[in-house]
Amino acid sequence: MTNALRNGVPRPVNLDDVSKAIIEQLQADGRRSYADIGKAVGLSEAAVRQRVQRLTEAGVMQIVAVTDPMQLGFTRQAMIGIRADGDTRVLAERLAEIPEIDYVVLTAGSFDLLAEVVCEDDDELITLLNSSIRNLEGVQSTETFVYLKLQKQYYNWGTR
């Protein structure tokens, strides 16, 4: 299960039905035991453990705790649209190094990149924008979309 790059983009990994079923089991409940997953997909606990390890090492999936930023004291979330000049891939790498940024994508449309940020408050957001993001070489302009309410955030879209 290798995840080779094509033009810098990971190629989709061909998964068998059992690996897809394991992923879907973990998407439903990331704390589900390997033994329980094994019963659901018809494998031993050890075989499930090996497959999960291969899937995570290949970058197909991550197993993480998804938190509610508001309950952890991060009261300001925002999406920042960035218009850039120069190589947007280089700028994306620089943005990805900023701890407050949890999501960076290169886009087509009115923005060259989108960056999602999680901050403790508006003062931290202002500092982040002025001291970290707008000072990066290649940033032409930014537009900030402040989140008023997070209505839906799920990661259980399944497999194909």
Side-chain angles (χ1 to χ4, degrees):
M1 177 181 325
T2 60
N3 201 1
L5 295 179
R6 181 178 184 185
N7 297 327
V9 177
R11 288 185 182 183
V13 175
N14 291 325
L15 300 176
D16 64 12
D17 289 340
V18 175
S19 290
K20 289 178 181 180
I22 290 170
I23 292 169
E24 290 170 357
Q25 290 285 312
L26 288 167
Q27 285 180 325
D29 181 359
R31 297 176 301 162
R32 187 166 286 156
S33 73
Y34 292 144
D36 287 346
I37 294 170
K39 288 175 190 170
V41 303
L43 291 179
S44 70
E45 178 180 347
V48 170
R49 181 178 288 107
Q50 287 177 337
R51 283 195 186 227
V52 169
Q53 183 175 348
R54 285 197 311 258
L55 290 165
T56 55
E57 287 174 354
V60 172
M61 68 177 190
Q62 297 176 5
I63 300 173
V64 299
V66 178
T67 60
D68 179 350
M70 294 290 284
Q71 293 190 40
L72 296 176
F74 297 101
T75 61
R76 178 55 66 220
Q77 290 179 267
M79 184 66 69
I80 302 169
I82 301 166
R83 291 182 184 88
D85 52 30
D87 191 336
T88 56
R89 296 169 296 184
V90 173
L91 181 54
E93 289 174 13
R94 297 288 90 66
L95 290 165
E97 294 170 357
I98 299 172
E100 296 86 355
I101 296 177
D102 61 31
Y103 176 85
V104 178
V105 294
L106 283 76
T107 64
S110 61
F111 297 105
D112 298 302
L113 299 114
L114 293 175
E116 184 181 58
V117 300
V118 178
C119 299
E120 288 184 19
D121 53 31
D122 288 338
D123 287 337
E124 185 181 2
L125 176 59
I126 292 167
T127 300
L128 176 66
L129 283 165
N130 290 318
S131 299
S132 298
I133 296 174
R134 291 182 180 142
N135 283 337
L136 290 174
E137 184 178 337
V139 173
Q140 218 174 46
S141 65
T142 65
E143 186 172 344
T144 304
F145 302 90
V146 173
Y147 296 2
L148 299 177
K149 179 182 177 188
L150 182 60
Q151 186 68 38
K152 179 180 180 180
Q153 184 176 26
Y154 291 121
Y155 298 98
N156 60 348
W157 49 78
T159 59
R160 292 186 178 32

